[in-house]
Amino acid sequence: MVPALNRLVDLVEERLTDEFDVGALARTLGTTEYHLRRMFSSLAGMPLSEYVRRRRMTVAAGDVVRGEDDLLGIAVRYGYGSTEAFGRAFRSVHGVGPRDVRRDGGPLRSQPQLRFRLTVEGNTPVDTRLVDRPAFRLIGHAARVPLVHHGVNPHIQRHVAALPPEEHLRLKALGDAEPAGLLQVCDDLDPDNSEGSELTYLHGVAVSADAPVPDDLDAIGVPAGRWAVFRSAGPHPQELQRTWAATATDWFPANPWRLRPGPSIVAVLDRAEDFSTATCELWLPVEPA
């Protein structure tokens, strides 16, 4: 993945004033756009779309300061149809508008060109198993919520807290497939994995593909496939989020697997009464790289 990500960065530089086809690049590199975007956002700490915007506005700032072209011409060069749209993008990166920078020469906030390197550490083993599963369904109570990378997601917390205690017992009784127990399911994630982007969160259980679904429950169909299952234990949700990060930084670069589209599933195996600590399994859909 390191050479693939660096080729992606090079392509961004080559096409700063043009649109480019990430899917086509992924195919030439022998991977998928979905996996490439997910690995980029996990390792770079920002979505690919955000990195492209920052780099474009960094280079555009030089054009603005030089003053050789009018602002509309610069806006069009970098893919914006008006000076207003260009000004909003410029201000979001630099904190000031292009007219202010043209007059004062700054202040400017540059986004350096990224370069990915493999750091060999290997001091934290990743507890993983690979599981082949036939098609199954995830059923429960779903809601659209924004993605939160660090700490407790208050939107999910409110969604689950609104369910009466007896509903958790009912869901547990319905589950008849692996992963077992009450599950935290995230589906329809933005491939860029950007903070604040919407996803479908389902609090529920796994059932066989032909199991009946009560009318008052939501369902997500899951096709047959292979899953990488990562185990975490310790302070919650910090240890689970550390395991999420380690899949990108440690496990995928070292193993011949890549992410495939599908829900991510967290099964809570054991927890403290106040949920301050927990032992969890993180299920991610994978395919051969």
Side-chain angles (χ1 to χ4, degrees), residues 174-258:
L174 290 172
D176 68 358
E178 195 180 19
L182 284 175
L183 307 174
Q184 303 167 5
V185 180
C186 295
D187 196 24
D188 295 328
L189 278 84
D190 174 7
D192 281 337
N193 216 27
S194 52
E195 181 93 10
S197 60
E198 280 203 336
L199 59 96
T200 297
Y201 176 83
L202 181 138
H203 180 77
V205 294
V207 299
S208 55
D210 56 357
V213 180
D215 292 339
D216 62 332
L217 296 183
D218 302 296
I220 298 172
V222 183
R226 185 163 291 169
W227 298 76
V229 184
F230 304 89
R231 191 181 182 93
S232 71
H236 189 79
Q238 294 86 353
E239 190 60 24
L240 176 60
Q241 290 168 338
R242 187 203 65 78
T243 300
W244 266 98
T247 65
T249 58
D250 299 336
W251 194 81
F252 279 109
N255 289 275
W257 303 97
R258 67 187 179 205

Coordinates of all heavy atoms in Angstrom, one line a residue, residues 174-258:
L174 N -33.5 -12.8 19.5 CA -33.6 -13.0 18.0 C -32.3 -13.4 17.4 O -32.4 -14.1 16.3 CB -34.1 -11.7 17.4 CG -35.5 -11.2 17.7 CD1 -35.8 -9.8 17.2 CD2 -36.5 -12.2 17.1
G175 N -31.2 -13.0 17.9 CA -29.9 -13.4 17.3 C -29.7 -14.9 17.2 O -29.8 -15.6 18.2
D176 N -29.3 -15.3 16.0 CA -29.0 -16.8 15.8 C -27.8 -17.1 14.9 O -27.7 -18.1 14.4 CB -30.3 -17.5 15.2 CG -30.6 -17.0 13.8 OD1 -29.9 -16.2 13.2 OD2 -31.6 -17.6 13.2
A177 N -27.0 -16.0 14.7 CA -25.8 -16.2 13.9 C -24.6 -15.5 14.4 O -24.8 -14.6 15.3 CB -26.1 -15.7 12.5
E178 N -23.4 -15.8 13.9 CA -22.2 -15.1 14.3 C -22.0 -13.9 13.4 O -22.4 -14.0 12.2 CB -21.0 -16.0 14.1 CG -19.8 -15.6 14.8 CD -18.6 -16.5 14.6 OE1 -18.6 -17.3 13.7 OE2 -17.6 -16.4 15.4
P179 N -21.6 -12.7 14.0 CA -21.1 -12.5 15.3 C -22.3 -12.5 16.3 O -23.4 -12.1 16.0 CB -20.6 -11.0 15.2 CG -20.4 -10.7 13.8 CD -21.4 -11.6 13.1
A180 N -22.0 -13.1 17.5 CA -23.1 -13.3 18.5 C -23.2 -12.1 19.4 O -22.4 -11.2 19.5 CB -22.7 -14.5 19.3
G181 N -24.4 -12.0 20.0 CA -24.7 -11.0 21.0 C -25.1 -9.7 20.3 O -25.3 -9.6 19.1
L182 N -25.3 -8.7 21.2 CA -25.7 -7.4 20.7 C -24.5 -6.7 19.9 O -23.4 -6.8 20.4 CB -26.1 -6.5 21.9 CG -27.5 -6.7 22.4 CD1 -27.7 -5.9 23.7 CD2 -28.6 -6.5 21.4
L183 N -24.8 -6.1 18.8 CA -23.8 -5.6 17.9 C -23.9 -4.1 17.7 O -25.0 -3.6 17.6 CB -23.9 -6.4 16.6 CG -23.8 -7.9 16.6 CD1 -24.1 -8.5 15.2 CD2 -22.5 -8.4 17.2
Q184 N -22.8 -3.5 17.4 CA -22.7 -2.1 17.0 C -22.3 -2.1 15.5 O -21.2 -2.5 15.3 CB -21.8 -1.3 17.9 CG -22.1 -1.4 19.4 CD -20.9 -0.9 20.2 OE1 -19.9 -0.4 19.7 NE2 -21.1 -1.1 21.5
V185 N -23.2 -1.7 14.7 CA -23.0 -1.9 13.2 C -22.9 -0.5 12.6 O -23.8 0.3 12.8 CB -24.1 -2.7 12.6 CG1 -23.8 -2.8 11.1 CG2 -24.2 -4.1 13.2
C186 N -21.8 -0.3 11.8 CA -21.7 0.9 11.0 C -21.7 0.5 9.5 O -20.9 -0.3 9.1 CB -20.4 1.7 11.3 SG -20.3 2.3 13.0
D187 N -22.6 1.2 8.7 CA -22.8 0.8 7.3 C -22.9 2.1 6.5 O -23.1 3.2 7.1 CB -24.0 0.0 7.1 CG -24.0 -0.7 5.8 OD1 -22.9 -0.9 5.2 OD2 -25.1 -1.1 5.3
D188 N -22.7 2.0 5.2 CA -22.8 3.2 4.3 C -21.8 4.3 4.7 O -22.1 5.5 4.6 CB -24.2 3.8 4.3 CG -25.2 2.8 3.7 OD1 -24.8 2.0 2.8 OD2 -26.4 2.8 4.1
L189 N -20.6 3.9 5.1 CA -19.6 4.9 5.5 C -19.0 5.5 4.2 O -18.8 4.9 3.2 CB -18.4 4.2 6.2 CG -18.6 4.0 7.7 CD1 -19.3 2.7 8.0 CD2 -17.2 4.0 8.4
D190 N -18.7 6.8 4.3 CA -18.0 7.5 3.3 C -16.6 6.9 3.1 O -15.9 6.7 4.1 CB -17.8 9.0 3.7 CG -17.0 9.8 2.8 OD1 -16.6 9.3 1.7 OD2 -16.7 11.0 3.1
P191 N -16.2 6.5 1.9 CA -14.9 5.8 1.7 C -13.7 6.7 2.2 O -12.7 6.1 2.7 CB -14.8 5.6 0.2 CG -16.2 5.5 -0.3 CD -17.0 6.5 0.6
D192 N -13.9 8.0 2.2 CA -12.9 8.9 2.8 C -12.8 8.9 4.3 O -11.9 9.4 4.9 CB -13.1 10.3 2.3 CG -12.6 10.5 0.9 OD1 -11.8 9.8 0.4 OD2 -13.1 11.5 0.2
N193 N -13.9 8.3 4.9 CA -13.9 8.2 6.4 C -13.8 9.5 7.1 O -13.1 9.7 8.1 CB -12.8 7.3 6.8 CG -13.2 6.4 8.0 OD1 -14.3 6.1 8.2 ND2 -12.2 6.0 8.8
S194 N -14.4 10.6 6.5 CA -14.2 11.9 7.0 C -15.0 12.2 8.2 O -16.2 11.8 8.3 CB -14.5 12.9 5.9 OG -15.8 12.7 5.4
E195 N -14.4 12.9 9.2 CA -15.1 13.3 10.4 C -16.4 14.1 10.1 O -16.4 15.0 9.3 CB -14.2 14.1 11.3 CG -14.8 14.6 12.6 CD -14.4 13.7 13.8 OE1 -13.6 12.8 13.6 OE2 -15.0 13.9 14.8
G196 N -17.5 13.7 10.7 CA -18.7 14.4 10.5 C -19.6 13.9 9.3 O -20.7 14.2 9.2
S197 N -19.0 13.0 8.5 CA -19.8 12.4 7.4 C -20.8 11.5 8.0 O -20.6 10.9 9.0 CB -18.9 11.7 6.4 OG -18.2 10.7 7.0
E198 N -21.9 11.3 7.3 CA -23.0 10.5 7.8 C -22.8 9.0 7.5 O -22.2 8.6 6.5 CB -24.4 10.9 7.2 CG -24.9 12.2 7.9 CD -26.4 12.3 7.8 OE1 -27.0 11.7 6.8 OE2 -27.1 12.9 8.6
L199 N -23.3 8.2 8.4 CA -23.2 6.7 8.3 C -24.5 6.2 8.9 O -25.3 6.9 9.6 CB -22.0 6.1 9.0 CG -21.9 6.3 10.5 CD1 -22.5 5.2 11.3 CD2 -20.4 6.6 10.9
T200 N -24.8 4.9 8.5 CA -26.0 4.2 9.2 C -25.5 3.4 10.3 O -24.6 2.6 10.2 CB -26.7 3.3 8.1 OG1 -27.2 4.1 7.1 CG2 -27.8 2.5 8.8
Y201 N -26.0 3.7 11.5 CA -25.6 3.0 12.7 C -26.8 2.1 13.1 O -27.9 2.5 13.2 CB -25.3 3.9 13.9 CG -25.0 3.1 15.1 CD1 -23.8 2.6 15.4 CD2 -26.0 2.9 16.1 CE1 -23.5 1.8 16.5 CE2 -25.8 2.1 17.2 CZ -24.5 1.6 17.4 OH -24.3 0.8 18.6
L202 N -26.5 0.8 13.3 CA -27.6 -0.1 13.7 C -27.2 -0.8 15.0 O -26.1 -1.4 15.1 CB -27.8 -1.2 12.6 CG -28.9 -2.2 12.9 CD1 -29.8 -2.5 11.6 CD2 -28.3 -3.5 13.3
H203 N -28.1 -0.8 15.9 CA -27.9 -1.5 17.2 C -28.8 -2.8 17.1 O -30.0 -2.7 17.0 CB -28.4 -0.6 18.4 CG -28.3 -1.3 19.7 ND1 -27.1 -1.4 20.4 CD2 -29.2 -1.9 20.5 CE1 -27.2 -2.0 21.5 NE2 -28.5 -2.3 21.6
G204 N -28.1 -3.9 17.0 CA -29.0 -5.1 16.8 C -28.2 -6.4 16.9 O -27.2 -6.5 17.6
V205 N -28.6 -7.4 16.1 CA -28.0 -8.7 16.2 C -27.9 -9.3 14.8 O -28.5 -8.8 13.8 CB -28.8 -9.7 17.0 CG1 -28.8 -9.2 18.5 CG2 -30.3 -9.8 16.5
A206 N -27.1 -10.4 14.7 CA -27.0 -11.1 13.4 C -27.9 -12.3 13.4 O -28.1 -13.0 14.4 CB -25.5 -11.6 13.2
V207 N -28.6 -12.5 12.2 CA -29.5 -13.6 12.0 C -29.2 -14.3 10.7 O -28.6 -13.7 9.8 CB -31.0 -13.2 12.1 CG1 -31.3 -12.6 13.4 CG2 -31.3 -12.2 10.9
S208 N -29.6 -15.5 10.5 CA -29.4 -16.2 9.3 C -30.1 -15.5 8.2 O -31.1 -14.8 8.4 CB -29.8 -17.6 9.4 OG -31.2 -17.7 9.8
A209 N -29.7 -15.7 6.9 CA -30.2 -15.0 5.8 C -31.7 -15.2 5.6 O -32.4 -14.4 5.0 CB -29.5 -15.4 4.5
D210 N -32.2 -16.4 6.0 CA -33.7 -16.7 5.8 C -34.5 -16.5 7.0 O -35.7 -16.9 7.1 CB -33.8 -18.1 5.3 CG -33.2 -19.2 6.2 OD1 -32.6 -18.7 7.2 OD2 -33.3 -20.4 5.9
A211 N -33.9 -15.9 8.1 CA -34.7 -15.7 9.3 C -35.7 -14.6 9.1 O -35.5 -13.6 8.4 CB -33.8 -15.3 10.5
P212 N -36.9 -14.7 9.7 CA -37.9 -13.7 9.5 C -37.5 -12.4 10.3 O -36.9 -12.5 11.3 CB -39.2 -14.3 10.1 CG -38.7 -15.4 11.1 CD -37.4 -15.9 10.5
V213 N -37.9 -11.3 9.8 CA -37.5 -10.0 10.4 C -38.8 -9.3 10.9 O -39.7 -9.0 10.0 CB -36.8 -9.1 9.4 CG1 -36.4 -7.7 10.1 CG2 -35.5 -9.8 8.9
P214 N -38.9 -9.0 12.1 CA -40.1 -8.3 12.6 C -40.3 -7.0 11.9 O -39.3 -6.3 11.5 CB -39.8 -8.1 14.1 CG -38.9 -9.2 14.5 CD -38.0 -9.4 13.2
D215 N -41.6 -6.6 11.7 CA -41.9 -5.4 10.9 C -41.3 -4.1 11.5 O -41.1 -3.2 10.8 CB -43.4 -5.3 10.8 CG -44.0 -6.4 9.9 OD1 -43.2 -7.0 9.1 OD2 -45.2 -6.6 10.0
D216 N -41.1 -4.1 12.8 CA -40.6 -2.9 13.5 C -39.1 -2.7 13.5 O -38.6 -1.8 14.1 CB -41.2 -2.7 14.9 CG -40.7 -3.9 15.8 OD1 -40.4 -5.0 15.3 OD2 -40.7 -3.7 17.0
L217 N -38.4 -3.7 12.9 CA -36.9 -3.6 12.9 C -36.4 -3.3 11.5 O -37.0 -3.7 10.5 CB -36.4 -5.0 13.4 CG -36.7 -5.3 14.9 CD1 -36.0 -6.6 15.2 CD2 -36.3 -4.2 15.8
D218 N -35.2 -2.7 11.5 CA -34.5 -2.4 10.3 C -33.6 -3.6 10.0 O -33.2 -4.4 10.9 CB -33.6 -1.2 10.4 CG -34.5 0.1 10.7 OD1 -35.3 0.4 9.9 OD2 -34.3 0.6 11.8
A219 N -33.2 -3.8 8.7 CA -32.4 -5.0 8.3 C -31.4 -4.5 7.3 O -31.6 -3.7 6.4 CB -33.3 -6.1 7.7
I220 N -30.2 -5.1 7.4 CA -29.1 -4.9 6.5 C -28.7 -6.3 6.0 O -28.2 -7.1 6.7 CB -27.9 -4.2 7.1 CG1 -28.3 -2.8 7.6 CG2 -26.7 -4.1 6.1 CD1 -27.2 -2.1 8.4
G221 N -28.8 -6.5 4.7 CA -28.3 -7.8 4.1 C -26.8 -7.8 3.9 O -26.2 -6.8 3.4
V222 N -26.2 -8.9 4.3 CA -24.7 -9.0 4.2 C -24.4 -10.2 3.4 O -24.8 -11.4 3.7 CB -24.1 -9.2 5.6 CG1 -22.6 -9.2 5.5 CG2 -24.5 -8.0 6.5
P223 N -23.7 -10.1 2.2 CA -23.4 -11.2 1.3 C -22.3 -12.1 2.0 O -21.6 -11.7 2.9 CB -22.9 -10.5 0.1 CG -22.4 -9.2 0.5 CD -23.3 -8.8 1.6
A224 N -22.2 -13.3 1.4 CA -21.2 -14.2 1.9 C -19.8 -13.6 1.6 O -19.6 -12.9 0.7 CB -21.3 -15.6 1.2
G225 N -18.9 -13.9 2.5 CA -17.5 -13.4 2.3 C -16.6 -13.7 3.5 O -17.0 -14.3 4.5
R226 N -15.4 -13.1 3.4 CA -14.4 -13.3 4.5 C -14.3 -12.1 5.3 O -14.5 -11.0 4.9 CB -13.1 -13.7 3.9 CG -12.0 -14.0 4.9 CD -10.8 -14.7 4.2 NE -11.2 -16.0 3.8 CZ -10.5 -16.8 3.0 NH1 -9.3 -16.4 2.5 NH2 -10.9 -18.0 2.6
W227 N -14.1 -12.3 6.6 CA -14.0 -11.2 7.6 C -12.7 -11.3 8.4 O -12.2 -12.5 8.7 CB -15.1 -11.3 8.6 CG -16.5 -11.1 7.9 CD1 -17.2 -12.0 7.2 CD2 -17.3 -9.9 7.9 NE1 -18.3 -11.5 6.7 CE2 -18.4 -10.2 7.2 CE3 -17.1 -8.7 8.5 CZ2 -19.4 -9.3 7.0 CZ3 -18.1 -7.7 8.3 CH2 -19.3 -8.0 7.6
A228 N -12.0 -10.2 8.6 CA -10.9 -10.1 9.6 C -11.5 -9.7 10.9 O -12.2 -8.7 11.0 CB -9.8 -9.2 9.1
V229 N -11.2 -10.4 12.0 CA -11.8 -10.2 13.3 C -10.7 -9.8 14.2 O -9.8 -10.6 14.5 CB -12.6 -11.4 13.8 CG1 -13.2 -11.1 15.2 CG2 -13.6 -11.9 12.8
F230 N -10.7 -8.5 14.7 CA -9.7 -8.0 15.6 C -10.2 -7.9 17.0 O -11.3 -7.3 17.3 CB -9.3 -6.6 15.1 CG -8.8 -6.6 13.7 CD1 -9.7 -6.4 12.6 CD2 -7.5 -6.8 13.4 CE1 -9.3 -6.4 11.3 CE2 -7.1 -6.8 12.0 CZ -8.0 -6.5 11.0
R231 N -9.5 -8.4 18.0 CA -9.9 -8.4 19.4 C -9.2 -7.2 20.1 O -8.0 -6.9 19.9 CB -9.5 -9.7 20.0 CG -10.1 -9.9 21.4 CD -9.6 -11.2 22.0 NE -10.2 -11.5 23.3 CZ -11.3 -12.3 23.5 NH1 -11.9 -12.7 22.4 NH2 -11.7 -12.5 24.7
S232 N -10.0 -6.5 20.9 CA -9.4 -5.4 21.8 C -9.9 -5.6 23.2 O -11.0 -6.1 23.4 CB -9.8 -4.0 21.2 OG -11.2 -3.8 21.4
A233 N -9.2 -5.1 24.1 CA -9.6 -5.2 25.5 C -8.9 -4.0 26.3 O -7.7 -3.7 26.1 CB -9.1 -6.5 26.2
G234 N -9.7 -3.3 27.1 CA -9.2 -2.2 27.9 C -10.1 -1.1 28.0 O -11.4 -1.3 27.8
P235 N -9.6 0.1 28.3 CA -10.5 1.3 28.4 C -11.4 1.5 27.2 O -10.9 1.4 26.0 CB -9.5 2.5 28.6 CG -8.3 1.8 29.1 CD -8.2 0.5 28.5
H236 N -12.7 1.7 27.4 CA -13.6 1.8 26.3 C -14.2 3.3 26.2 O -14.5 3.9 27.2 CB -14.8 0.9 26.5 CG -15.7 0.7 25.3 ND1 -15.4 0.0 24.2 CD2 -16.9 1.3 25.1 CE1 -16.4 0.0 23.3 NE2 -17.3 0.8 23.8
P237 N -14.2 3.9 24.9 CA -14.0 3.2 23.6 C -12.5 3.4 23.1 O -12.3 3.1 22.0 CB -14.9 4.0 22.7 CG -14.9 5.4 23.3 CD -14.8 5.2 24.8
Q238 N -11.6 4.0 24.0 CA -10.3 4.3 23.5 C -9.5 3.1 22.9 O -8.9 3.2 21.9 CB -9.5 4.9 24.7 CG -10.0 6.2 25.2 CD -11.1 6.1 26.2 OE1 -11.6 5.0 26.5 NE2 -11.5 7.2 26.8
E239 N -9.6 1.9 23.6 CA -8.9 0.8 23.1 C -9.5 0.2 21.8 O -8.7 -0.2 20.9 CB -8.9 -0.3 24.2 CG -7.9 -1.5 23.9 CD -6.5 -1.0 23.8 OE1 -6.1 0.0 24.4 OE2 -5.7 -1.8 23.1
L240 N -10.8 0.3 21.7 CA -11.4 -0.1 20.4 C -11.0 0.8 19.3 O -10.7 0.4 18.2 CB -12.9 -0.1 20.6 CG -13.7 -0.4 19.3 CD1 -13.4 -1.8 18.8 CD2 -15.2 -0.3 19.6
Q241 N -10.9 2.1 19.5 CA -10.5 3.1 18.5 C -9.0 2.9 18.2 O -8.6 3.1 17.0 CB -10.8 4.5 19.0 CG -12.3 4.8 19.0 CD -12.7 6.1 19.7 OE1 -11.9 6.6 20.6 NE2 -13.9 6.6 19.4
R242 N -8.2 2.5 19.2 CA -6.8 2.3 18.9 C -6.7 1.0 18.0 O -5.8 1.0 17.1 CB -6.0 2.0 20.2 CG -4.5 1.9 20.0 CD -3.9 1.1 21.1 NE -4.3 -0.3 21.1 CZ -3.9 -1.2 20.3 NH1 -3.0 -0.9 19.4 NH2 -4.3 -2.4 20.4
T243 N -7.5 0.0 18.2 CA -7.5 -1.1 17.4 C -7.9 -0.8 15.9 O -7.3 -1.3 15.0 CB -8.4 -2.2 18.0 OG1 -8.0 -2.6 19.3 CG2 -8.4 -3.5 17.1
W244 N -9.0 0.0 15.8 CA -9.4 0.5 14.5 C -8.2 1.1 13.8 O -7.9 0.8 12.6 CB -10.4 1.6 14.6 CG -11.8 1.2 14.6 CD1 -12.7 0.9 15.6 CD2 -12.6 1.0 13.4 NE1 -13.9 0.6 15.1 CE2 -13.9 0.6 13.8 CE3 -12.4 1.0 12.0 CZ2 -14.9 0.3 12.9 CZ3 -13.4 0.8 11.1 CH2 -14.7 0.4 11.6
A245 N -7.4 2.0 14.4 CA -6.3 2.7 13.8 C -5.2 1.7 13.5 O -4.6 1.8 12.4 CB -5.7 3.8 14.7
A246 N -5.0 0.7 14.3 CA -3.9 -0.3 14.1 C -4.2 -1.2 12.9 O -3.3 -1.7 12.3 CB -3.7 -1.2 15.3
T247 N -5.5 -1.4 12.5 CA -5.7 -2.1 11.3 C -5.1 -1.5 10.1 O -4.6 -2.2 9.2 CB -7.3 -2.3 11.1 OG1 -7.9 -1.1 10.9 CG2 -7.9 -3.0 12.3
A248 N -5.1 -0.1 10.1 CA -4.6 0.6 8.9 C -3.1 0.7 9.0 O -2.4 0.6 8.0 CB -5.2 2.0 8.8
T249 N -2.6 1.0 10.2 CA -1.1 1.3 10.3 C -0.3 0.1 10.4 O 0.9 0.1 10.0 CB -0.9 2.2 11.5 OG1 -1.3 1.5 12.7 CG2 -1.6 3.5 11.4
D250 N -0.8 -1.0 10.9 CA 0.0 -2.2 11.2 C -0.5 -3.4 10.4 O 0.3 -4.1 9.8 CB -0.1 -2.6 12.7 CG 0.5 -1.5 13.6 OD1 1.4 -0.7 13.0 OD2 0.2 -1.4 14.8
W251 N -1.8 -3.7 10.5 CA -2.2 -5.0 10.0 C -2.4 -5.1 8.4 O -1.8 -6.0 7.8 CB -3.6 -5.4 10.6 CG -3.9 -6.9 10.4 CD1 -3.4 -7.9 11.1 CD2 -4.7 -7.4 9.4 NE1 -3.9 -9.1 10.6 CE2 -4.7 -8.9 9.5 CE3 -5.5 -6.9 8.3 CZ2 -5.4 -9.7 8.7 CZ3 -6.2 -7.8 7.5 CH2 -6.2 -9.2 7.7
F252 N -3.1 -4.1 7.8 CA -3.3 -4.2 6.4 C -1.9 -4.1 5.6 O -1.7 -4.8 4.6 CB -4.3 -3.2 5.9 CG -5.7 -3.6 6.1 CD1 -6.5 -3.0 7.1 CD2 -6.2 -4.6 5.3 CE1 -7.8 -3.4 7.3 CE2 -7.6 -5.0 5.5 CZ -8.3 -4.4 6.5
P253 N -1.0 -3.2 6.0 CA 0.3 -3.1 5.3 C 1.1 -4.4 5.4 O 2.0 -4.6 4.5 CB 1.0 -1.9 6.0 CG -0.1 -1.1 6.6 CD -1.1 -2.1 7.0
A254 N 0.8 -5.2 6.4 CA 1.7 -6.4 6.6 C 1.0 -7.7 6.2 O 1.6 -8.8 6.3 CB 2.0 -6.5 8.1
N255 N -0.2 -7.6 5.7 CA -1.0 -8.8 5.3 C -1.6 -8.7 3.9 O -1.9 -7.6 3.5 CB -2.1 -9.1 6.4 CG -1.5 -9.5 7.7 OD1 -1.2 -10.7 7.9 ND2 -1.3 -8.6 8.6
P256 N -1.8 -9.8 3.2 CA -2.3 -9.8 1.8 C -3.8 -9.7 1.7 O -4.4 -10.5 1.0 CB -1.7 -11.1 1.3 CG -1.8 -12.1 2.5 CD -1.4 -11.2 3.6
W257 N -4.3 -8.7 2.4 CA -5.8 -8.5 2.4 C -6.1 -7.0 2.2 O -5.2 -6.2 2.6 CB -6.4 -9.0 3.7 CG -6.1 -10.4 4.0 CD1 -5.1 -10.9 4.8 CD2 -6.8 -11.6 3.5 NE1 -5.2 -12.3 4.8 CE2 -6.2 -12.7 4.0 CE3 -7.9 -11.7 2.6 CZ2 -6.6 -14.0 3.7 CZ3 -8.3 -13.0 2.3 CH2 -7.6 -14.1 2.8
R258 N -7.3 -6.7 1.7 CA -7.7 -5.4 1.6 C -9.2 -5.3 2.0 O -9.9 -6.3 2.0 CB -7.6 -4.8 0.2 CG -8.5 -5.5 -0.8 CD -8.1 -5.0 -2.2 NE -9.0 -5.7 -3.2 CZ -8.6 -5.9 -4.5 NH1 -7.5 -5.4 -4.9 NH2 -9.5 -6.5 -5.3

